Amino acid sequence: MYRQAENGEMVVYTPAEYGVRKDDGHGLVKPVNSSGGLLFLSILLTACLGGLVYGVVQVALTDQWHILGEVWWVFPACLFPFLAAWAGYFKERRAEKLRKARNLPRPVD
């Protein structure tokens, strides 16, 4: 989370330079925090959301609206990760560009 300034002092990365969370989160699975990995997850979740939209169209075409009453929870469960993945990707991509312009290394915890 710290970097060496031009005068040799250690300074904190700004939130814009840092990007998304870089530590392991102390979980079983290491989180994806590179822009390439986040882009892959975002595209994967976009495909899942596309499948959800396809399902809604099929429900509308077959006039079986009662199905949506049983699976309504799928919409927020798919929409939140979709939005979070794209937001994380854009945040990390912006931070990578900023670090590259300032010639800073990728922060690690």
Side-chain angles (χ1 to χ4, degrees), residues 1-3 11-22 33 87-99 102 104-105 107:
M1 187 121 152
Y2 291 95
R3 64 181 168 89
V11 295
V12 178
Y13 278 91
T14 65
E17 293 170 342
Y18 190 72
V20 296
R21 184 176 171 175
K22 302 289 190 282
N33 55 23
Y89 167 71
F90 288 122
K91 181 178 182 180
E92 181 61 25
R93 187 67 185 129
R94 192 174 314 118
E96 281 182 354
K97 287 181 180 180
L98 187 58
R99 289 191 304 261
R102 295 181 182 174
L104 298 173

